Amino acid sequence: MAARLSVARAARQLTSSAARRPATAYPVSCQRWQKAPIQSRLFTVSAQWEEKKYTEDHEWVELSADGKTATLGISTYAAKALGDIVFCELPQVGVEFSSGDAIGAVESVKSASDILTPISGEVVEVNSALEEVPGGINKDPEGEGWIAKIAVQAEPEGLMSAEEYKKHTEEA
Amino acid sequence: MAPSRGLLRLRQLSAASCRYGSIASGRRAASSFAQHLTNPSAKLQSYISRSRDPFLNLSIEDYVLRHSPPDSVVLFLYTNRPCVVIGRNQNPWLEVNLGILKVAPEQGSSFSNPELPAIGDVDLVRRRSGGGAVFHDEGNVNWSITCPRADFTRDKHAEMVVRALRRLGIERARVNERHDIVLDQGHERRTSDPSDTHRTAYTGDEGAQPRPLKVSGSAYKLTRGRALHHATTLLASPNLHIIPQYLHAPAKKFIEAKGVESVSSPVGNIGLENDIFQQRLQEEFATMYGARDTPPVVRTVGEAELDIPEIRKGYEELRTKEWLLSQTPQFRLKVDKSDLDGWSHELNVLLDINIHHGVIKSVDYSDFLYGTDREAQIRFALVGKKLQDIGDWHDFFRGREGTEALAECLTRWLPIPDTPGA
């Protein structure tokens, strides 16, 4: 299993870098040549990312339809456990984070909880509505209560599917 | 991944030197703390700080949160010199009487201003955890527990402290609905279950008088699978009568702020000596985690720990104006003419300033004496400025004619507090 995943990862890295290089150097002539790798890249990406993924620290990430950005938020389980969120510290747009970094924090019932990003990349958008209504996270943590969008550089590892995450929270 | 034999032996050696109290050099002591803290087999750990520096104690605590083994539970006790500690997402101008933090005690008792409650230098600290503003001094013991996030509840360690207090005869202590510890003040004794840490024989009905006195306030920080619960414990503060004055901000009625506002409660002293409480709590901690007969060695930490780069970094960060001021959530200071009743006629100003994370975003200012040109100049001078770069308002406006009223206004309601770091 692990071996297969790493092969797939290597293949993805190859195809994505191959796709990027000619795009700048030979924008026109390589278009046809480019097509196949892009398709295979989308296929492997969507196989990994067709559903929302979860972290051990109770964040969720979801890839956009074009595969360029990932939306990040905190899970319904976490939002319930934390209680009424009274303040949300959002990251700044344009700042680059590495996976595992705290990109923000929420405060609820005297607790400041770090929001950790499982993906590296630049923050391209934040949910500014949360500055006015931090409780929006409690209302719809995995929808309207999203926290930030990040430009995806590489696929994250070690994330859980919804089912695996459910199991993880039941064990805890 | 098992640590190498050599490393293991080193750990045992440093643990031994600690236990027998040999005086190691600062560097060795520091590294022995880091080594013991991160030892994966040290599931139950207990520390006490000999430092009274709030910036250092909070930084050691943050290091414990980030570096202790994922499945360990760590008790850390410390007492700070007089300071006001605000929560991560609080506004100092809304929570603290900034004007009296640096007033010398002799000034405080002078005839010219007998009301001034000052007790000398009081540090202002923004902690990394949530919650509200609290006053610390030598009669207050702070306890903190770092544990796995999966085991964390907001009450379980407050309950542990209540058990410790009751063992010391403080039978009115209980955990309240805000996860704080209070002493019930009821006159009538009813029957109660002594093992119920949320109710005492003196617990009245909700809203009943006299109100319970708060003796311990909690705050929490959650990160990377770990949870920190820290709290104050007012044992014998000599400053109880003036705490409310430190936590009363003159600008409060002029400020609209995002972020977290404190809930103020009447406070009381428990009336125990620090040493006795600390020792009892260490025992209760060991009992709670099944180590009553083999309690963890209590290790002492202090200034030597500044040799650990992460602790030094956290310490320097907490001491900066950037952390104290720029972490302040968006707020607005709005002063109307009617608020200036009783001021001299020169103070004919209207002021409305918006500040985002310590940067002045907009200024609405009218000055009836000097007119719109002056107003535009003032706006231009202020918008985009970081509060931390301003320092003293009178100095900032020096040389600009007719700004005395504004400088006075801002000094009173938006003073820029001093920090030990730049």
Side-chain angles (χ1 to χ4, degrees):
Chain A
M1 181 67 183
R4 212 171 66 216
L5 276 178
S6 71
V7 167
R9 202 159 52 236
R12 270 197 307 283
Q13 276 164 4
L14 276 174
T15 52
S16 63
S17 61
R20 227 179 283 137
R21 222 180 309 116
T24 47
Y26 316 98
V28 183
S29 61
C30 285
Q31 250 169 10
R32 265 183 60 203
W33 174 84
Q34 225 180 345
K35 228 168 184 170
I38 273 192
Q39 263 173 358
S40 79
R41 173 175 171 255
L42 281 178
F43 175 75
T44 48
V45 166
S46 64
Q48 283 286 307
W49 278 77
E50 63 192 1
E51 50 172 326
K52 201 179 267 178
K53 293 280 176 180
Y54 295 83
T55 70
E56 280 191 6
D57 288 295
H58 311 285
E59 291 89 9
W60 57 266
V61 275
E62 194 167 41
L63 199 67
S64 62
D66 65 6
K68 286 181 181 157
T69 58
T71 305
L72 183 144
I74 66 169
S75 72
T76 306
Y77 173 87
K80 271 195 193 132
L82 289 174
D84 287 346
I85 291 169
V86 291
F87 190 71
C88 180
E89 281 174 71
L90 297 167
Q92 267 180 7
V93 171
V95 175
E96 201 159 315
F97 290 94
S98 303
S99 76
D101 285 351
I103 65 159
V106 292
E107 178 160 347
S108 60
V109 205
K110 305 191 243 185
S111 315
S113 312
D114 282 343
I115 304 161
L116 309 172
T117 173
I119 30 181
S120 305
E122 186 186 319
V123 174
V124 291
E125 199 182 336
V126 295
N127 189 356
S128 310
L130 298 176
E131 285 174 357
E132 296 298 322
V133 190
I137 297 176
N138 295 106
K139 243 181 222 158
D140 189 10
E142 302 199 19
E144 295 285 299
W146 61 276
I147 293 188
K149 294 187 180 175
I150 294 172
V152 179
Q153 293 171 342
E155 276 195 44
E157 293 165 46
L159 296 186
M160 290 176 271
S161 67
E163 211 168 294
E164 289 163 331
Y165 177 69
K166 189 163 175 263
K167 227 171 154 187
H168 169 72
T169 55
E170 281 165 0
E171 278 165 11
Chain B
M1 226 174 47
S4 74
R5 240 167 244 273
L7 252 177
L8 257 179
R9 188 180 304 146
L10 241 172
R11 277 202 188 109
Q12 280 160 358
L13 273 175
S14 62
S17 71
C18 224
R19 196 165 305 149
Y20 299 120
S22 79
I23 299 165
S25 73
R27 187 163 296 277
R28 270 182 59 205
S31 65
S32 107
F33 165 64
Q35 277 176 17
H36 188 263
L37 179 77
T38 54
N39 178 357
S41 62
K43 307 286 185 213
L44 210 57
Q45 304 187 32
S46 184
Y47 298 93
I48 188 161
S49 175
R50 70 166 76 84
S51 170
R52 295 285 175 264
D53 181 340
F55 301 101
L56 175 60
N57 287 329
L58 284 170
S59 303
I60 293 173
E61 187 179 67
D62 192 59
Y63 183 79
V64 170
L65 173 65
R66 289 168 197 283
H67 295 276
S68 49
D71 54 350
S72 64
V73 185
V74 184
L75 173 70
F76 177 42
L77 304 178
Y78 55 95
T79 294
N80 292 329
R81 61 186 179 232
C83 58
V84 172
V85 185
I86 62 171
R88 181 186 184 94
N89 298 307
Q90 290 205 293
N91 181 318
W93 295 277
L94 189 61
E95 300 292 341
V96 186
N97 193 352
L98 298 170
I100 62 169
L101 293 182
K102 298 290 164 198
V103 177
E106 52 272 26
Q107 274 174 272
S109 57
S110 77
F111 288 111
S112 61
N113 197 347
E115 298 296 307
L116 217 56
I119 54 164
D121 259 13
V122 174
D123 288 297
L124 175 61
V125 189
R126 184 191 292 279
R127 60 177 184 263
R128 292 188 167 84
S129 60
V134 283
F135 181 91
H136 290 201
D137 63 21
E138 283 86 356
N140 167 63
V141 169
N142 302 291
W143 53 269
S144 95
I145 294 272
T146 297
C147 72
R149 184 172 174 171
D151 301 338
F152 165 78
T153 72
R154 289 189 177 89
D155 276 343
K156 74 192 282 188
H157 294 109
E159 289 163 1
M160 168 187 84
V161 174
V162 164
R163 285 194 297 274
L165 288 172
R166 288 191 184 169
R167 286 284 292 271
L168 291 169
I170 313 296
E171 51 170 3
R172 290 170 181 264
R174 68 172 164 95
V175 180
N176 75 0
E177 56 299 331
R178 288 183 43 78
H179 319 288
D180 293 328
I181 298 172
V182 295
L183 298 186
D184 278 327
Q185 300 297 308
H187 301 305
E188 200 185 329
R189 192 185 166 92
R190 307 181 194 182
T191 52
S192 72
D193 172 4
S195 66
D196 183 349
T197 47
H198 292 253
R199 205 176 164 81
T200 73
Y202 300 93
T203 305
D205 301 323
E206 211 186 302
Q209 296 290 336
R211 279 178 74 182
L213 295 177
K214 176 170 161 181
V215 292
S216 167
S218 288
Y220 315 88
K221 167 88 194 166
L222 308 175
T223 190
R224 285 170 230 277
R226 301 285 283 161
L228 165 78
H229 178 179
H230 59 181
T232 54
T233 322
L234 274 170
L235 296 176
S237 165
N239 300 306
L240 217 53
H241 59 295
I242 56 167
I243 291 177
Q245 313 215 44
Y246 276 92
L247 300 180
H248 168 82
K252 188 161 181 161
K253 61 177 174 175
F254 307 129
I255 290 179
E256 281 169 35
K258 302 216 187 312
V260 177
E261 210 173 315
S262 298
V263 177
S264 92
S265 316
V267 294
N269 273 324
I270 294 169
L272 286 173
E273 277 175 40
N274 292 10
D275 291 355
I276 291 171
F277 172 71
Q278 285 164 349
Q279 203 186 335
R280 182 61 233 153
L281 187 54
Q282 285 156 347
E283 287 163 14
E284 194 62 46
F285 168 70
T287 305
M288 178 172 175
Y289 286 96
R292 199 171 73 177
D293 301 327
T294 51
V297 177
V298 179
R299 284 154 203 274
T300 305
V301 293
E303 243 166 68
E305 272 52 68
L306 280 172
D307 281 353
I308 299 172
E310 290 97 325
I311 291 180
R312 167 69 69 175
K313 190 168 163 243
Y315 174 76
E316 302 290 1
E317 190 193 0
L318 286 186
R319 288 158 53 97
T320 59
K321 283 204 167 64
E322 177 72 21
W323 171 252
L324 180 66
L325 304 180
S326 301
Q327 178 72 13
T328 307
Q330 184 190 336
F331 73 104
R332 177 182 180 191
L333 175 80
K334 193 163 176 269
V335 183
D336 280 323
K337 192 172 181 299
S338 60
D339 299 321
L340 300 172
D341 283 352
W343 285 45
S344 78
H345 69 281
E346 282 174 275
L347 303 173
N348 272 323
V349 294
L350 290 178
L351 182 63
D352 188 350
I353 302 188
N354 261 290
I355 297 170
H356 291 221
H357 298 288
V359 179
I360 300 175
K361 287 290 176 185
S362 71
V363 177
D364 194 358
Y365 170 66
S366 337
D367 184 328
F368 303 123
L369 285 180
Y370 293 95
T372 48
D373 277 2
R374 174 64 41 79
E375 289 162 21
Q377 282 174 25
I378 300 282
R379 257 197 299 276
F380 185 75
L382 288 175
V383 172
K385 275 271 177 320
K386 274 183 155 183
L387 291 181
Q388 66 188 73
D389 296 336
I390 287 173
D392 181 88
W393 287 106
H394 286 288
D395 291 345
F396 179 76
F397 284 117
R398 188 150 294 149
R400 288 174 196 269
E401 201 196 336
T403 50
E404 295 78 11
L406 181 63
E408 186 52 37
C409 212
L410 290 166
T411 303
R412 192 175 281 209
W413 289 313
L414 204 63
I416 316 293
D418 236 355
T419 53

